[in-house]
Amino acid sequence: MQVHFIHPGHSYLPELEAYAAHLRPWGHEACTHQNASTVPADARVVWWMCGRVHATDHQRFAQAFQVHEYASASVPPFAWAKDQIKRWTQPKPDYRLFQNEWVRQRLGFADDVPWEFREMGVSSTFLTPPTIQGAAEFDMVYLGDMARLRHFLPVFEGLEQAGMRTLLIGSMPAPLQRQFQAFKHITVTGKVPHHEVPAQLRRARCALNLVPDRLPYSEQTSTKLLEYCAIGLPVISTDYRWVRNFAASNKAAIAYLPAQASASAYADFFRETRDMASAPSPHMEGWAWPHTLARLNIWKAAGLAP
């Protein structure tokens, strides 16, 4: 059977690769589409990574088992309004997946559609120890959305003042390139294939989790933080609700940045946390994708499990 995943956005979703790997031993094939127009009309399973789902597209697959997955609530601007529109206008699927209880309550669907939670996971490549581990080239590493960094320029000014070498994994948006060129201790990798990310992370002794303390980000899983911990890196993070809960539940070594500090205050903070590299790492084996996906009931509900 072919399982058709519709992902209209531009963000990278590692769960799509994990789904494909999970379905393969059962003889199924995962196909990813940017829009519904390329999905055949006789598809048997249509899995929407929501997004808005238009009623006309949904109706075209009326004979299929349709899944609506909400790995995140809507993001600004107008995040609350966008979620309300989804609540009242999304067509009714056969099954829903939510990242967590907050996302489910935020969307607030009031019907009898079966649902369950699907937490994020990590690839096994992040959990495999390297054959040779040399001295760290960098003091800090950041993985993720570079556009977000415009809100954290004082943090990087503090790293510069502390003389710390920082590695940024990903592509720098053009509007930020000029600002970051002024930093002499920052290296930007450019776009890196996902399977090469673990080796890049291991070039540093500590990782940065820079997430704004605002909805929906403060209530949702930070994928990069899971990957940092799977590699074994201690983490310096902004302070928000989800990361506090994760640290308490997983005994993770996390230090919290002071909120809205000056560059010199951040520099002092980074100097004080130089010894974090010796902190123990949490056990992340249970977060591996095979374990995360094996817990789901949707496979039987969709007729995919043997």
Side-chain angles (χ1 to χ4, degrees):
M1 188 187 303
Q2 287 191 327
V3 181
H4 298 273
F5 293 90
I6 302 174
H7 172 37
H10 300 289
S11 59
Y12 173 68
L13 298 182
E15 52 263 51
L16 291 175
E17 292 182 9
Y19 284 148
H22 191 79
L23 290 165
R24 202 170 294 124
W26 294 335
H28 306 311
E29 180 183 353
C31 303
T32 302
H33 307 261
Q34 285 194 323
N35 58 72
S37 65
T38 59
V39 179
D42 61 351
R44 294 172 59 188
V45 179
V46 178
W47 197 307
W48 303 82
M49 311 301 288
C50 301
R52 284 281 293 110
V53 179
H54 296 287
T56 52
D57 290 331
H58 212 266
Q59 183 59 35
R60 189 162 74 89
F61 310 117
Q63 81 294 340
F65 187 93
Q66 298 197 55
V67 181
H68 288 189
E69 176 167 342
Y70 296 91
S72 168
S74 298
V75 298
F78 312 117
W80 184 87
K82 287 187 282 189
D83 284 332
Q84 296 306 300
I85 291 171
K86 288 177 184 176
R87 175 189 296 187
W88 296 113
T89 66
Q90 293 280 64
K92 189 174 178 179
D94 298 287
Y95 209 94
R96 291 192 185 102
L97 292 175
F98 302 97
Q99 186 195 98
N100 58 28
E101 176 63 19
W102 183 86
V103 174
R104 188 182 77 86
Q105 291 190 9
R106 170 82 167 198
L107 289 159
F109 296 109
D111 53 34
D112 58 354
V113 172
W115 58 269
E116 65 181 319
F117 299 128
R118 198 276 296 153
E119 199 25 298
M120 288 301 296
V122 293
S123 167
S124 59
T125 57
F126 290 84
L127 294 161
T128 304
T131 53
I132 299 175
Q133 183 71 53
E137 302 171 55
F138 296 92
D139 298 292
M140 297 289 163
V141 62
Y142 171 85
L143 168 68
D145 180 9
M146 295 280 185
R148 184 179 294 172
L149 300 186
R150 69 181 184 274
H151 302 295
F152 297 103
L153 285 173
V155 173
F156 292 95
E157 291 170 4
L159 285 166
E160 282 288 299
Q161 289 183 19
M164 292 194 169
R165 303 154 298 166
T166 303
L167 179 67
L168 305 181
I169 302 175
S171 298
M172 177 72 65
L176 283 179
Q177 288 177 4
R178 180 173 298 179
Q179 291 170 293
F180 274 82
Q181 282 174 355
F183 299 135
K184 305 303 182 185
H185 297 91
I186 288 181
T187 299
V188 181
T189 65
K191 187 175 181 179
V192 173
H194 192 246
H195 68 274
E196 295 180 9
V197 169
Q200 293 291 336
L201 290 175
R202 291 188 177 102
R203 298 173 68 188
R205 64 173 182 82
C206 193
L208 288 169
N209 181 56
L210 302 177
V211 175
D213 187 15
R214 58 184 297 197
L215 298 176
Y217 312 109
S218 58
E219 296 286 350
Q220 297 181 169
T221 303
S222 171
T223 304
K224 61 177 169 287
L225 187 141
L226 299 183
E227 293 174 342
Y228 294 156
C229 291
I231 287 291
L233 292 174
V235 177
I236 292 176
S237 177
T238 47
D239 194 353
Y240 59 101
R241 183 176 140 112
W242 180 87
V243 74
R244 284 281 184 177
N245 290 339
F246 173 85
S249 300
N250 294 274
K251 299 180 181 178
I254 295 177
Y256 298 99
L257 285 163
Q260 299 178 333
S262 65
S264 59
Y266 283 127
D268 290 340
F269 170 85
F270 287 122
R271 294 186 189 103
E272 292 168 2
T273 56
R274 285 184 184 273
D275 61 350
M276 278 194 68
S278 61
S281 300
H283 296 291
M284 296 295 292
E285 289 78 8
W287 290 84
W289 276 119
H291 296 293
T292 298
L293 300 186
R295 294 190 285 264
L296 297 181
N297 297 315
I298 191 171
W299 312 117
K300 289 185 177 180
L304 296 167

mmCIF file of all heavy atoms in Angstrom, residues 15 23 44 46 53 91 101 124 143 153-154 158 173 175 177 184 191 193 204 206 218 267 281 294:
data_model
loop_
_atom_site.group_PDB
_atom_site.id
_atom_site.type_symbol
_atom_site.label_atom_id
_atom_site.label_comp_id
_atom_site.label_asym_id
_atom_site.label_seq_id
_atom_site.Cartn_x
_atom_site.Cartn_y
_atom_site.Cartn_z
ATOM 1 N N GLU A 15 10.121 13.550 10.857
ATOM 2 C CA GLU A 15 9.186 12.456 11.066
ATOM 3 C C GLU A 15 8.768 11.782 9.768
ATOM 4 O O GLU A 15 8.390 10.608 9.765
ATOM 5 C CB GLU A 15 7.942 12.929 11.835
ATOM 6 C CG GLU A 15 7.254 14.134 11.254
ATOM 7 C CD GLU A 15 7.675 15.423 11.928
ATOM 8 O OE1 GLU A 15 8.901 15.648 12.039
ATOM 9 O OE2 GLU A 15 6.805 16.208 12.335
ATOM 10 N N LEU A 23 7.123 2.095 8.037
ATOM 11 C CA LEU A 23 6.159 1.419 7.170
ATOM 12 C C LEU A 23 6.805 0.373 6.272
ATOM 13 O O LEU A 23 6.162 -0.602 5.870
ATOM 14 C CB LEU A 23 5.440 2.457 6.300
ATOM 15 C CG LEU A 23 4.467 3.391 7.027
ATOM 16 C CD1 LEU A 23 4.121 4.579 6.139
ATOM 17 C CD2 LEU A 23 3.214 2.635 7.434
ATOM 18 N N ARG A 44 -5.489 5.155 -0.832
ATOM 19 C CA ARG A 44 -6.175 4.470 0.270
ATOM 20 C C ARG A 44 -5.884 5.100 1.630
ATOM 21 O O ARG A 44 -6.697 5.012 2.547
ATOM 22 C CB ARG A 44 -5.795 2.992 0.271
ATOM 23 C CG ARG A 44 -6.316 2.249 -0.959
ATOM 24 C CD ARG A 44 -5.762 0.832 -1.037
ATOM 25 N NE ARG A 44 -6.101 0.034 0.134
ATOM 26 C CZ ARG A 44 -5.607 -1.184 0.360
ATOM 27 N NH1 ARG A 44 -4.748 -1.725 -0.506
ATOM 28 N NH2 ARG A 44 -5.964 -1.861 1.437
ATOM 29 N N VAL A 46 -4.402 8.854 3.093
ATOM 30 C CA VAL A 46 -3.940 10.221 2.832
ATOM 31 C C VAL A 46 -3.682 10.881 4.178
ATOM 32 O O VAL A 46 -4.588 10.991 5.018
ATOM 33 C CB VAL A 46 -4.974 11.024 2.019
ATOM 34 C CG1 VAL A 46 -4.486 12.459 1.806
ATOM 35 C CG2 VAL A 46 -5.230 10.350 0.677
ATOM 36 N N VAL A 53 -6.593 22.418 5.344
ATOM 37 C CA VAL A 53 -7.025 21.378 4.423
ATOM 38 C C VAL A 53 -8.314 21.867 3.762
ATOM 39 O O VAL A 53 -9.308 22.135 4.451
ATOM 40 C CB VAL A 53 -7.277 20.048 5.152
ATOM 41 C CG1 VAL A 53 -7.752 18.988 4.166
ATOM 42 C CG2 VAL A 53 -6.021 19.582 5.879
ATOM 43 N N PRO A 91 -12.165 20.122 7.339
ATOM 44 C CA PRO A 91 -13.041 18.960 7.157
ATOM 45 C C PRO A 91 -12.714 17.882 8.182
ATOM 46 O O PRO A 91 -11.615 17.843 8.751
ATOM 47 C CB PRO A 91 -12.734 18.513 5.727
ATOM 48 C CG PRO A 91 -11.417 19.114 5.401
ATOM 49 C CD PRO A 91 -11.287 20.361 6.198
ATOM 50 N N GLU A 101 -0.762 17.541 24.586
ATOM 51 C CA GLU A 101 -2.076 17.953 25.080
ATOM 52 C C GLU A 101 -2.330 19.431 24.851
ATOM 53 O O GLU A 101 -3.458 19.845 24.562
ATOM 54 C CB GLU A 101 -2.189 17.625 26.573
ATOM 55 C CG GLU A 101 -3.478 18.082 27.233
ATOM 56 C CD GLU A 101 -4.723 17.420 26.656
ATOM 57 O OE1 GLU A 101 -4.617 16.364 25.998
ATOM 58 O OE2 GLU A 101 -5.830 17.972 26.875
ATOM 59 N N SER A 124 18.379 7.384 14.854
ATOM 60 C CA SER A 124 19.381 6.535 15.495
ATOM 61 C C SER A 124 20.795 7.041 15.242
ATOM 62 O O SER A 124 21.710 6.742 16.013
ATOM 63 C CB SER A 124 19.251 5.093 14.995
ATOM 64 O OG SER A 124 19.411 5.036 13.589
ATOM 65 N N LEU A 143 21.736 24.695 16.149
ATOM 66 C CA LEU A 143 21.102 24.012 15.031
ATOM 67 C C LEU A 143 19.664 24.475 14.956
ATOM 68 O O LEU A 143 18.968 24.487 15.962
ATOM 69 C CB LEU A 143 21.147 22.493 15.248
ATOM 70 C CG LEU A 143 20.285 21.614 14.329
ATOM 71 C CD1 LEU A 143 20.802 21.648 12.903
ATOM 72 C CD2 LEU A 143 20.241 20.178 14.859
ATOM 73 N N LEU A 153 20.473 38.551 19.074
ATOM 74 C CA LEU A 153 21.784 39.133 18.754
ATOM 75 C C LEU A 153 22.607 39.450 20.001
ATOM 76 O O LEU A 153 23.825 39.226 20.007
ATOM 77 C CB LEU A 153 21.610 40.383 17.886
ATOM 78 C CG LEU A 153 21.255 40.114 16.420
ATOM 79 C CD1 LEU A 153 20.935 41.408 15.695
ATOM 80 C CD2 LEU A 153 22.383 39.378 15.714
ATOM 81 N N PRO A 154 22.020 39.962 21.102
ATOM 82 C CA PRO A 154 22.844 40.203 22.298
ATOM 83 C C PRO A 154 23.495 38.933 22.836
ATOM 84 O O PRO A 154 24.590 38.998 23.421
ATOM 85 C CB PRO A 154 21.841 40.785 23.302
ATOM 86 C CG PRO A 154 20.778 41.401 22.453
ATOM 87 C CD PRO A 154 20.654 40.490 21.269
ATOM 88 N N GLY A 158 27.443 38.550 23.364
ATOM 89 C CA GLY A 158 28.038 38.057 24.604
ATOM 90 C C GLY A 158 29.034 36.941 24.356
ATOM 91 O O GLY A 158 30.105 36.888 24.985
ATOM 92 N N PRO A 173 19.948 33.481 6.639
ATOM 93 C CA PRO A 173 19.157 34.348 5.759
ATOM 94 C C PRO A 173 19.936 35.606 5.393
ATOM 95 O O PRO A 173 20.695 36.140 6.208
ATOM 96 C CB PRO A 173 17.926 34.682 6.606
ATOM 97 C CG PRO A 173 17.874 33.637 7.662
ATOM 98 C CD PRO A 173 19.294 33.240 7.926
ATOM 99 N N PRO A 175 19.189 38.782 5.157
ATOM 100 C CA PRO A 175 19.120 39.975 6.018
ATOM 101 C C PRO A 175 20.007 39.904 7.260
ATOM 102 O O PRO A 175 20.358 40.933 7.831
ATOM 103 C CB PRO A 175 17.627 40.020 6.420
ATOM 104 C CG PRO A 175 16.914 39.289 5.343
ATOM 105 C CD PRO A 175 17.854 38.194 4.942
ATOM 106 N N GLN A 177 23.037 38.134 7.350
ATOM 107 C CA GLN A 177 24.426 37.843 7.023
ATOM 108 C C GLN A 177 25.354 39.003 7.369
ATOM 109 O O GLN A 177 26.445 38.796 7.921
ATOM 110 C CB GLN A 177 24.539 37.489 5.543
ATOM 111 C CG GLN A 177 23.966 36.123 5.201
ATOM 112 C CD GLN A 177 24.026 35.816 3.724
ATOM 113 O OE1 GLN A 177 24.572 36.587 2.927
ATOM 114 N NE2 GLN A 177 23.450 34.686 3.328
ATOM 115 N N LYS A 184 33.657 37.652 14.818
ATOM 116 C CA LYS A 184 34.889 37.011 14.357
ATOM 117 C C LYS A 184 35.011 35.557 14.785
ATOM 118 O O LYS A 184 35.828 34.808 14.254
ATOM 119 C CB LYS A 184 36.116 37.786 14.860
ATOM 120 C CG LYS A 184 36.118 39.268 14.486
ATOM 121 C CD LYS A 184 36.024 39.459 12.980
ATOM 122 C CE LYS A 184 36.065 40.944 12.617
ATOM 123 N NZ LYS A 184 35.865 41.150 11.155
ATOM 124 N N LYS A 191 23.746 24.934 4.389
ATOM 125 C CA LYS A 191 22.814 23.820 4.485
ATOM 126 C C LYS A 191 23.562 22.497 4.595
ATOM 127 O O LYS A 191 24.493 22.230 3.840
ATOM 128 C CB LYS A 191 21.887 23.800 3.269
ATOM 129 C CG LYS A 191 20.769 22.779 3.368
ATOM 130 C CD LYS A 191 19.812 22.901 2.196
ATOM 131 C CE LYS A 191 18.673 21.901 2.314
ATOM 132 N NZ LYS A 191 17.714 22.018 1.188
ATOM 133 N N PRO A 193 23.013 18.181 4.981
ATOM 134 C CA PRO A 193 22.075 17.043 4.965
ATOM 135 C C PRO A 193 21.862 16.506 6.372
ATOM 136 O O PRO A 193 22.790 16.503 7.200
ATOM 137 C CB PRO A 193 22.786 16.011 4.078
ATOM 138 C CG PRO A 193 23.743 16.802 3.257
ATOM 139 C CD PRO A 193 24.177 17.955 4.102
ATOM 140 N N ALA A 204 31.366 20.566 18.737
ATOM 141 C CA ALA A 204 31.256 21.550 19.817
ATOM 142 C C ALA A 204 31.163 20.846 21.165
ATOM 143 O O ALA A 204 30.875 19.662 21.257
ATOM 144 C CB ALA A 204 30.030 22.430 19.602
ATOM 145 N N CYS A 206 29.211 22.282 23.717
ATOM 146 C CA CYS A 206 27.966 22.691 24.347
ATOM 147 C C CYS A 206 27.021 23.219 23.266
ATOM 148 O O CYS A 206 27.478 23.685 22.210
ATOM 149 C CB CYS A 206 28.236 23.776 25.393
ATOM 150 S SG CYS A 206 26.857 24.129 26.510
ATOM 151 N N SER A 218 6.704 27.984 23.375
ATOM 152 C CA SER A 218 6.993 27.656 24.771
ATOM 153 C C SER A 218 6.292 26.396 25.253
ATOM 154 O O SER A 218 6.597 25.897 26.336
ATOM 155 C CB SER A 218 6.600 28.835 25.668
ATOM 156 O OG SER A 218 5.220 29.143 25.504
ATOM 157 N N ALA A 267 28.017 37.662 28.366
ATOM 158 C CA ALA A 267 29.426 37.260 28.354
ATOM 159 C C ALA A 267 29.838 36.694 29.709
ATOM 160 O O ALA A 267 30.508 35.658 29.794
ATOM 161 C CB ALA A 267 30.307 38.448 27.969
ATOM 162 N N SER A 281 24.796 13.301 30.587
ATOM 163 C CA SER A 281 23.749 13.417 29.583
ATOM 164 C C SER A 281 22.562 12.536 29.966
ATOM 165 O O SER A 281 22.732 11.496 30.598
ATOM 166 C CB SER A 281 24.276 12.979 28.213
ATOM 167 O OG SER A 281 25.365 13.782 27.823
ATOM 168 N N ALA A 294 6.402 3.032 17.480
ATOM 169 C CA ALA A 294 5.834 1.727 17.847
ATOM 170 C C ALA A 294 4.714 1.870 18.864
ATOM 171 O O ALA A 294 3.857 0.976 18.983
ATOM 172 C CB ALA A 294 6.922 0.815 18.396
#
